[in-house]
Amino acid sequence: MPSPGPTPPLPPGEEAAEEYRSLDGYTATVDIDQSQDTDQRVRVWFDPDDGNSRAKILAPVSQAGNLYVANGSAIVQYNATSNEYIQVSTSGTDRFESSAQRVEAAVADARAGGNTTDGPPVGGAPLPVVPDAGEGTPESEGDSQGQFRVSYEGTQQIAGRTAHVLNYTAAGNRTQGILQQTLWLDTEHFVTLKLHQESRFGGNRSTYTYELSNVSFETDFGPDRFRFDPPPGATANRSESYDLTSFDSRDDLVAATDVPVPDPAVPGRYALVQADRIDGGTFDAVQLSYRATTSRLVVTKTSEQSYIDTSEGKPVAIGDRTGRFRSSGVSSIVVWECGEYIYVVAGDLPESSMVDVARSVACG
């Protein structure tokens, strides 16, 4: 139910984004409830000003102690069970600006009301990451394709704080993709305190909910909070560790790598937001990330043959190759092999659109 008392006004999207950008940091516990996967509880620490974050899995027991640490120079993923970690050296990345842009889009949509061709903003906080909205489905073509009805539902209390409630519902007769998403944005800092999403991909209907508790914006991060010190006996997985360099344009990436870079034909509303060169000890890869305000599409080309299973999923023709399409219930991929490389198109578009993007890449 809406909280009693005066409702804090929903500001313009630009002001909401600036409030998010000015945030010094916060800590919280995140409970993730997902019908298609294992539920999790995670403790998180964020320092957007310096691009730092840390996440420690508390539950389930099989994942307890696993860590994700990101700072200005590296990303580390530590597996407590195997006492092994992967380290990614990074340069040229900004992991938080896209979150501010999602906040701006969400608040602007809610203020405008009516329909939007942009999907739900999938949060507004960098973690957790949940599926973006697609462009509609074959069932909905010609009938509000890719649109959502957006409404502002006032405020509610979440985690002891007041939150703006934004609701997205698929318009028209769509029966695939994201069907409904509700966001609870902190009225002061515009961090997503809660998100609930209902989706259908193929025959799988799924729900995804995450909710913050024990939230504190009174942060005093010590100098070691975002440093990873390997536990005793921990070993580095050299074969999966790599150096990541990010560029603003595909041309810059082409000039910086010997790997032929794909030039996919993506839906018109998508724009390139990041081009990555990935240099591994035993492999090389390139990756192009596209965004349509709040929806994301990623094209990856890698020489790492163990990167992903290429044998499972629905067979689809990609040029003279046979690829595979599969959906996790909340997002989809098309994967295929060509020569020494594996190609992956990942996103949440309907199957036909995903396959069209893959075919435009072929063996390029």
Side-chain angles (χ1 to χ4, degrees):
M1 296 295 292
S3 57
T7 298
L10 189 64
E14 300 91 337
E15 292 184 15
E18 285 308 309
E19 290 296 331
Y20 181 83
R21 290 188 182 98
S22 67
L23 176 63
D24 289 332
Y26 67 96
T27 63
T29 299
V30 184
D31 285 292
I32 303 171
D33 183 354
Q34 42 198 347
S35 61
Q36 297 291 323
D37 209 338
T38 305
D39 295 346
Q40 292 179 311
R41 168 166 281 200
V42 186
R43 186 65 182 169
V44 297
W45 298 260
F46 288 112
D47 177 14
D49 280 345
D50 296 321
N52 298 327
S53 62
R54 183 182 185 95
K56 181 178 181 179
I57 296 182
L58 307 178
V61 173
S62 60
Q63 300 175 22
N66 290 359
L67 285 174
Y68 171 93
V69 180
N71 54 46
S73 61
I75 298 171
V76 176
Q77 298 178 63
Y78 170 70
N79 186 309
T81 301
S82 63
N83 201 20
E84 183 181 74
Y85 63 94
I86 297 169
Q87 181 164 312
V88 179
S89 298
T90 61
S91 62
T93 60
D94 186 342
R95 288 180 290 273
F96 290 89
E97 176 56 27
S98 61
S99 299
Q101 293 171 359
R102 294 201 300 270
V103 167
E104 181 172 342
V107 172
D109 285 345
R111 283 172 60 90
N115 286 8
T116 176
T117 55
D118 293 319
V122 307
L127 187 83
V129 175
V130 297
D132 296 330
E135 283 198 327
T137 66
E139 292 87 348
S140 67
E141 288 181 1
D143 187 0
S144 302
Q145 182 176 0
Q147 289 193 350
F148 291 83
R149 292 186 293 273
V150 188
S151 61
Y152 176 57
E153 305 294 336
T155 60
Q156 291 183 0
Q157 292 294 305
I158 300 291
R161 300 183 61 84
T162 304
H164 293 295
V165 185
L166 283 58
N167 186 66
Y168 285 70
T169 303
N173 298 318
R174 263 189 312 136
T175 60
Q176 296 287 312
I178 295 177
L179 303 179
Q180 187 274 334
Q181 189 182 90
T182 304
L183 309 174
W184 289 259
L185 296 177
D186 184 78
T187 57
E188 184 177 1
H189 301 292
F190 290 88
V191 168
T192 302
L193 300 175
K194 182 178 178 180
L195 176 146
H196 176 76
Q197 176 175 291
E198 298 180 8
S199 309
R200 183 187 295 276
F201 287 85
N204 298 319
R205 188 176 182 92
S206 62
T207 60
Y208 181 104
T209 303
Y210 78 81
E211 183 170 356
L212 273 59
S213 61
N214 304 316
V215 185
S216 175
F217 293 98
E218 301 299 323
T219 55
D220 184 16
F221 298 126
D224 299 332
R225 172 54 66 189
F226 302 105
R227 188 178 73 187
F228 176 73
D229 294 318
T235 57
N237 186 327
R238 303 295 181 187
S239 65
E240 295 188 25
S241 296
Y242 54 88
D243 295 332
L244 173 68
T245 305
S246 299
F247 303 91
D248 293 329
S249 73
R250 178 181 175 275
D251 287 345
D252 288 342
L253 174 59
V254 169
T257 181
D258 294 329
V259 177
V261 180
D263 190 10
V266 301
R269 67 193 186 98
Y270 282 83
L272 182 72
V273 293
Q274 188 168 298
D276 296 325
R277 185 187 73 202
I278 302 169
D279 302 312
T282 59
F283 70 95
D284 296 302
V286 292
Q287 184 166 274
L288 302 170
S289 299
Y290 300 85
R291 184 171 289 281
T293 306
T294 58
S295 184
R296 193 165 180 243
L297 182 68
V298 179
V299 177
T300 304
K301 176 180 179 179
T302 177
S303 63
E304 176 53 71
Q305 295 300 308
S306 63
Y307 175 65
I308 195 167
D309 188 338
T310 60
S311 64
E312 293 187 358
K314 176 184 176 181
V316 292
I318 309 295
D320 61 355
R321 306 282 170 165
T322 298
R324 300 283 178 167
F325 171 85
R326 58 181 183 262
S327 170
S328 67
V330 289
S331 61
S332 302
I333 67 168
V334 180
V335 56
W336 70 102
E337 296 181 70
C338 188
E340 63 181 297
Y341 293 104
I342 290 176
Y343 295 78
V344 181
V345 175
D348 49 25
L349 299 176
E351 178 181 345
S352 60
S353 298
M354 296 281 286
V355 173
D356 284 345
V357 173
R359 288 171 175 164
S360 75
V361 174
C363 292

